[in-house]
Amino acid sequence: MEIKPIASSSKGNAYLVSDGMTTILLECGLPFKELKHRTKFVVPSQIDACLVSHSHNDHAKSLKDMLDAGVDCYALKETFEAKGVAAHHMAKSIKFNNPYYLKTMLIIPLEMMHDVPCVGFMIASRKTGERMLFATDTYLIKAAPVGLTHIMIEANYDVDLVEDDALKNRLFKSHMGIDTTIDYLKSINLSNVQQIYLMHLSSRHSNEAEFKKRVQAATGKIVVVCEE
Ligand SMILES: [Zn+2]
Ligand SMILES: [Zn+2]
């Protein structure tokens, strides 16, 4: 599985994932022009589909442009509705736990816990046998997929770096803090995992080097922090 983080923060998220046969874009939370430039024009012509977790602009900003460019876009019905594109002929609504195939990839939509309807993905390649979990904008992950080889997971904040109580309460109900990220990783079977990607770090409430060190120490795996 080749994973290329394009952008990862509350200013924008986009990740290219390929198994050599199928290439997908996870999230399209950048202006369309920037998305094309930053991917060296892999977007939109060389991708098989775009998967979007939820309607917030840091994940879905270019959803209408992607649809208009003729890209198959997969998201929850609520996400398409929130962006006003539910009737678009390229919009494919997905449901939690209803798997579907994108060429060589089997995708299982997983329920995420955010402040709007949000979906994560288990992505299994029939070409390579690899299995990846993609989970962001969620204060909790209920699913415990087995046989994972790659994990892309949110580590938004360190509670000790958040001073404002109102913000703290909002974060508790919308994003995953590093303590929860580590607890989750320790709760699932990591024996086949090769790499863990940390996503969506807050510029104000996280510490990149420290997060990397902590996750490495807790899991013994290679940890990559996705750059803004
Ligand atoms: Zn976000
Ligand atoms: Zn969000």
Side-chain angles (χ1 to χ4, degrees):
M1 207 83 89
E2 197 189 338
I3 298 166
K4 275 192 205 153
I6 308 298
S8 185
S9 78
S10 57
K11 283 185 250 148
N13 290 270
Y15 311 87
L16 278 174
V17 174
S18 177
D19 67 359
M21 286 285 279
T22 310
T23 300
I24 57 175
L25 180 71
L26 299 174
E27 316 287 26
C28 57
L30 288 173
F32 194 44
K33 204 176 155 190
E34 207 180 325
L35 207 46
K36 288 192 282 189
H37 279 278
R38 286 215 209 178
T39 61
K40 300 192 172 65
F41 295 91
V42 169
V43 175
S45 59
Q46 293 170 51
I47 55 171
D48 295 293
C50 174
L51 280 53
V52 175
S53 64
H54 66 293
S55 60
H56 290 157
N57 268 338
D58 59 320
H59 300 258
K61 190 172 186 67
S62 290
L63 183 53
K64 185 171 186 308
D65 298 294
M66 298 293 287
L67 292 164
D68 288 345
V71 176
D72 285 320
C73 293
Y74 293 80
L76 298 172
K77 183 167 66 76
E78 292 88 342
T79 302
F80 289 125
E81 284 170 355
K83 304 300 286 177
V85 292
H88 200 290
H89 66 287
M90 299 308 284
K92 323 269 182 215
S93 286
I94 54 172
K95 289 191 176 133
F96 298 134
N97 304 316
N98 273 18
Y100 58 97
Y101 275 106
L102 290 174
K103 288 168 67 183
T104 51
M105 289 180 182
L106 172 72
I107 317 285
I108 305 175
L110 304 171
E111 185 180 15
M112 297 288 116
M113 311 299 285
H114 197 34
D115 48 10
V116 297
C118 184
V119 62
F121 307 102
M122 216 290 293
I123 300 167
S125 169
R126 282 190 291 182
K127 177 169 184 276
T128 65
E130 292 167 307
R131 294 162 76 87
M132 183 178 86
L133 171 68
F134 178 86
T136 193
D137 288 38
T138 187
Y139 60 85
L140 179 86
I141 302 171
K142 290 184 190 168
V146 293
L148 293 174
T149 55
H150 297 75
I151 296 175
M152 299 180 76
I153 189 168
E154 171 177 35
N156 185 251
Y157 63 91
D158 179 342
V159 72
D160 294 338
L161 300 176
V162 186
E163 271 155 26
D164 182 335
D165 277 341
L167 176 61
K168 220 180 261 187
N169 283 328
R170 198 182 77 78
L171 287 173
F172 286 158
K173 290 178 198 141
S174 55
H175 286 282
M176 190 142 57
I178 185 67
D179 298 324
T180 311
T181 307
I182 289 173
D183 284 348
Y184 177 74
L185 290 170
K186 283 160 79 173
S187 76
I188 59 172
N189 187 333
L190 298 175
S191 49
N192 294 324
V193 171
Q194 299 160 19
Q195 282 155 344
I196 297 170
Y197 288 76
L198 301 181
M199 299 186 288
H200 214 303
L201 273 68
S202 155
S203 50
R204 283 172 54 214
H205 308 122
S206 74
N207 178 325
E208 191 179 317
E210 162 107 13
F211 279 22
K212 183 173 173 160
K213 217 162 74 185
R214 283 185 62 189
V215 176
Q216 249 160 8
T219 63
K221 302 292 177 182
I222 296 168
V223 177
V224 179
V225 177
C226 299
E227 301 289 331
E228 259 190 47

